[in-house]
Amino acid sequence: MDSQTNTVSSITRVNPFQAAQALGKLLSETPEYKAFIGAQKAVNSDPTSYALSVQLRGHQHAIQCGRDLYGEHATEAARLELEMGDLEVVKEYHRARQAVSVLIQAVDKIVSREAGVDFAINARHSGCGCGG
Amino acid sequence: MPLTEEIKDAARQLGQALHQDEYIRIYLDALQATQTDPEASVLEKEMYEVYEGLIARQQASEDLSQDDTRAFYELRGQVAHHPLISHRNDMLNTIRPYLHQVAEEISFTLGVDYPALTKPE
């Protein structure tokens, strides 16, 4: 009887989309995720961090558009990144991001092992699978 | 903090759902075909061994000759053109958009990009 039950349950098809939703919901209830979202909000509402990130984006945009012939935008972007990294609110964001990343990597390892295919790497939008 | 049993179960459920999915099976079947084909598996294993050997020599500050790299590129070409390996790679590319859609369900619930969070900053 037990073996029959096991056979039936092993061939029961679960919808991957529903399973993904259920997993997402559980992850959203973890302390790591809540801390990460809180840290993200704190960074976004911090006036110093906001001002620096606006300036940083301006320089990054200039670099991407090929308007950095003498490297002044790259220099200034690097300086701003260092200045942002020194803000306590940003440090806390990186700590929280690292913690949630460790959690999600552990989850992804289980998903990938069971699926037989590396899930997150191959689910990335670029789809190159090189991890880049 | 270690994963709760509930999260582990949910992760297993998702993995198993993908494993049983007919669309994912086309890739898993192609993967199995390469793994069980002696020629394909030996060829691929050899390519990775040669690659790792070259990297190790490069890291030991050794200058690699053109012959060294040519041998690797030839091997890589053979691997890429092997019908079973090439089919497996094509099937992986075919299922990627589907995997992306499934991951989007998690991302949507979290409000952040799930695959991106698995990458270190």
Side-chain angles (χ1 to χ4, degrees):
Chain A
M1 183 66 186
D2 270 357
S3 66
Q4 256 187 333
T5 313
N6 286 342
T7 310
V8 170
S9 81
S10 70
I11 58 163
T12 303
R13 299 282 163 97
V14 178
N15 181 321
F17 292 92
Q18 285 172 355
Q21 271 176 22
L23 178 60
K25 189 173 180 308
L26 288 173
L27 289 174
S28 73
E29 290 161 3
T30 59
E32 290 88 347
Y33 170 78
K34 287 177 182 170
F36 171 64
I37 294 299
Q40 203 172 39
K41 281 181 185 160
V43 166
N44 292 338
S45 58
D46 181 75
T48 312
S49 161
Y50 178 77
L52 291 174
S53 70
V54 169
Q55 290 177 52
L56 180 61
R57 275 200 297 273
H59 290 294
Q60 285 169 337
H61 184 69
I63 296 165
Q64 280 163 8
C65 295
R67 290 191 283 110
D68 195 28
L69 296 179
Y70 304 104
E72 74 273 24
H73 288 291
T75 306
E76 190 56 14
R79 189 192 66 75
L80 287 165
E81 274 177 4
L82 283 175
E83 198 177 331
M84 275 188 78
D86 274 344
L87 298 175
E88 196 46 50
V89 75
V90 173
K91 283 182 186 167
E92 184 49 42
Y93 167 80
H94 288 302
R95 278 192 289 267
R97 204 252 182 222
Q98 169 67 14
V100 81
S101 182
V102 167
L103 176 94
I104 290 192
Q105 281 170 28
V107 166
D108 194 64
K109 216 169 166 180
I110 298 173
V111 176
S112 301
R113 189 189 60 221
E114 295 291 331
V117 57
D118 287 333
F119 179 52
I121 287 177
N122 289 299
R124 281 179 195 148
H125 200 57
S126 70
C128 69
C130 63
Chain B
M1 196 172 170
L3 294 178
T4 64
E5 282 308 312
E6 207 181 1
I7 291 178
K8 283 184 193 171
D9 280 347
R12 277 193 286 265
Q13 283 258 344
L14 173 57
Q16 285 165 10
L18 288 169
H19 190 80
Q20 291 168 356
D21 190 280
E22 283 173 19
Y23 200 56
I24 302 299
R25 294 272 2 142
I26 61 170
Y27 163 70
L28 294 176
D29 291 345
L31 175 67
Q32 196 182 13
T34 57
Q35 286 169 339
T36 53
D37 181 80
E39 189 191 78
S41 54
V42 165
L43 198 60
E44 208 162 28
K45 189 167 171 259
E46 192 186 343
M47 183 192 74
Y48 285 119
E49 280 171 2
V50 169
Y51 176 74
E52 280 162 19
L54 290 177
I55 294 293
R57 285 170 57 192
Q58 211 168 31
Q59 282 172 348
S61 306
E62 192 181 326
D63 286 330
L64 300 176
S65 71
Q66 271 198 332
D67 283 347
D68 290 327
T69 50
R70 192 183 306 121
F72 168 70
Y73 286 123
E74 277 174 14
L75 201 50
R76 194 174 70 167
Q78 284 177 47
V79 168
H81 291 104
H82 189 285
L84 289 177
I85 296 172
S86 154
H87 177 64
R88 179 205 61 198
N89 293 344
D90 287 346
M91 291 307 100
L92 182 58
N93 284 329
T94 303
I95 65 163
R96 277 183 179 146
Y98 183 67
L99 291 173
H100 176 71
Q101 284 175 21
V102 174
E104 267 189 334
E105 290 292 333
I106 307 177
S107 303
F108 182 73
T109 310
L110 295 178
V112 285
D113 187 20
Y114 169 84
L117 272 185
T118 62
K119 279 204 301 190
E121 275 187 295

